[in-house]
Amino acid sequence: MSAPLTAPVAIVLAAGQGTRMRSRIPKVLHPLAGRPMLDHVLDALDEAGVGRTIVVTGHGADAVESAVGDRATTVRQEPQRGTADALRCGLAASPDEAAELVVTMGDVPLQPSMLYATLLDALRGRSAAIALVSARLDDPSGYGRLVRGADGSVAAVVEESDADEAQRAIPEINVGTYAFDAAWLRAAIGRVPASASGEYYLTDLVSVAVADGRAVAVVDAPDAADAMGINDRVALAYAEERMRRRINERHMRNGVTIIEPATTRIDATVEIGQDARIEPGTTLAGSTVIAQDAVIGPNAHVRDSRIGPRSHVWASVIEESTVAEDVEIGPFAHLRPGAEIGARCRIGNFAEVKKTRIGAGTQQHHFSYLGDAEIGENVNVGAGSVTANFDGTAKHRTVIEDGASIGVDTMMVAPVTIGEGATTGAGAVVTRDVAPGKTVVGMPARPIEMRRTRSAPADAGEPGAGQAPVPSGADRNP
Ligand code: UD1
Ligand code: MG
C-alpha cells in the first residue's frame, strides 16, 4: 500500500565517519541483530508510514548507498561538515510540497516506530518549529544536553564539547530524532552558525527557533534505553543485547518457547512457527525459517536455512540448507550450503553434507561425508563412508538410489552410481557403477558373485577375494 501524498518526508543522516568506531566499515553499516544498523532505522520509518525517505551519505557513500538500495533516495554530503550541513543536503533533495519533515540519524537504531507519530502530534499541537525527543540518562556523557529556561521551555541544546560543568551535569539529553515545520526549516537552515570546531550543528537550530519566537516541543522517549546513539563498539554491544532481547520477546509473544533468552541469538530477519522450542546457546541467523513444533538446540547454529515441522536440530551447524519435517540432526552434524534433507531422515554425529539432496527416511548416523550427491529414500549410510567427489581438478557427482545400503568405510569415487537396493561391503572402494540389487566388496569394489567365482587359491591374496560376503556393518536402526 503506498502512503498518502501528505505523508511526511523523512531524512536520515548517515554521512558521518563514525571515528569513534575505529573501523574501516562505515558506522551505519555495522550489523545489529544480523542487519546493518541503518536498516533498523529505515524499518521504523517504513512502519511509521513516512511517504519518502532520503538518506544523506558521505563517508563510505558507495557502500552505504548499495546497502540502502531502492529502500530510499540517497543524496551525498561532500565534505561532511556536521549534522546541520547534512540536513541541508537532505532538505535540498526533498520535495518542495513536504510540509513536515522527520529527521533522524543512522546511528540511533533502537527507536520504536510510534515515536514518529508522537513527534508529529507534538509539532502540530504546539505549532512548533521543531519537536525533538529527549531522554534522561544516568550517564549522559557524549550526548547533547537540553538546556531549559526558567519557565521550563527548551532554550538550547548544548553539545558536550561546548558544555560547561553545570551543563554537563544535566541528565536530559537530545536523542537526535526530530520533526520540523519544513517551511521554517528551509528558511532557518542557512542561519546555523559554525561551531568552535568548524562543524555546523543541527542542534543549534533550537536556539534559532527560540530566537524566532517559535515553540520547540519536547517528547520524552518512551524508554530511555532505546535512545542510545551508537558511537563506539561498547554502545554497539549494548544495543545488540537490547535488540536481541526485543526480538526474542516478539517471538515468545507469538508462541515460540525460548528456554534461555540470554544465550539465544535470533536475527531480526528470522521467522519461527508456533510452538517451536529454541533451546539454550542457539543462534538463528539470516533468512532462516523455523517451522512449527521444531526443536532447535541446545547449541545449534542455523544460518539462511529452512527447518521443517517437528524436526530437531541438536548441537549442529546448518548453513544455506533445507530440512524437511520430522528430521533428527546432530549432535555435531554440519550441513553445508546446498544440503536438502528429506522427511524423517537421521543425520548424526560428525556427519557432513554439502550440495546433496537426501531422500526421505535415509539414515546417516555416524561420521561421514556426502558431497555433490543425490541420495535416494531409505538409504543407510554406514559410519566412515565418504563421497570422494574431487579428483584434484573437478567435482563429480555421486548417486545412491533408493534403499541402498552403504557399508561402513565405503569410499565412493565419483562420478559413480550405486543402484536401487544395492549393498557395499565394509571398506569397499567403489570406482564403478553398482547395478541395482547387487552387493559389491573390496578395493576396487566388485560384485560379490564375481569374487566368489574368483576365489581360487591363486587369487587368495587379492583384497576381498575368497571371503564370505562382507557385512555392511552399518547399524540400520540403532
Ligand atoms: C548527535 C547530536 C547530539 C545527540 C546525539 C544523539 C549534533 C550536533 N549532535 O551527536 O546532540 O545527543 O547525536 O546520538 O547533531 N552525520 C552526517 N554528516 C556529518 C556529521 C554527522 O550525516 O557531517 C551523521 C552521522 O552519520 C550520524 C549522525 O549524523 O549518523 C550523528 O552524528 P554523530 O557524529 O554520531 O553525532 P553525535 O556526536 O552522536
Ligand atoms: Mg552519534
Side-chain angles (χ1 to χ4, degrees), residues 326-385:
D326 301 303
V327 174
E328 280 285 333
I329 308 268
F332 316 123
H334 186 184
L335 304 189
R336 290 169 49 207
E340 289 177 44
I341 312 298
R344 302 182 308 287
C345 284
R346 299 283 177 270
I347 310 293
N349 306 269
F350 304 103
E352 175 181 348
V353 181
K354 184 213 76 173
K355 261 197 206 156
T356 289
R357 193 154 74 210
I358 299 185
T362 284
Q363 318 226 357
Q364 183 191 1
H365 276 281
H366 315 286
F367 51 99
S368 59
Y369 171 60
L370 298 175
D372 303 296
E374 177 80 38
I375 316 291
E377 298 187 357
N378 300 312
V379 169
N380 194 74
V381 180
S385 295

Side-chain angles (χ1 to χ4, degrees), residues 20 27 107 230-231:
R20 291 163 280 183
K27 173 163 75 174
D107 69 343
I230 314 299
N231 294 322

Side-chain angles (χ1 to χ4, degrees), residues 122-207:
L123 186 80
R124 291 169 194 151
R126 294 195 50 199
S127 301
I130 306 175
L132 60 83
V133 184
S134 79
R136 280 167 201 282
L137 301 184
D138 293 339
D139 176 11
S141 57
Y143 293 92
R145 312 294 206 286
L146 259 65
V147 178
R148 289 184 184 261
D151 63 351
S153 64
V154 179
V157 171
V158 179
E159 291 307 304
E160 172 143 305
S161 51
D162 301 333
D164 59 32
E165 195 133 345
Q167 288 167 335
R168 281 179 195 225
I170 297 172
E172 194 181 15
I173 62 110
N174 168 39
V175 168
T177 293
Y178 318 82
F180 287 99
D181 168 346
W184 175 81
L185 181 62
R186 283 179 199 283
I189 190 80
R191 290 195 274 138
V192 172
S195 70
S197 68
E199 283 195 17
Y200 295 85
Y201 291 159
L202 190 166
T203 41
D204 283 341
L205 281 164
V206 171
S207 328

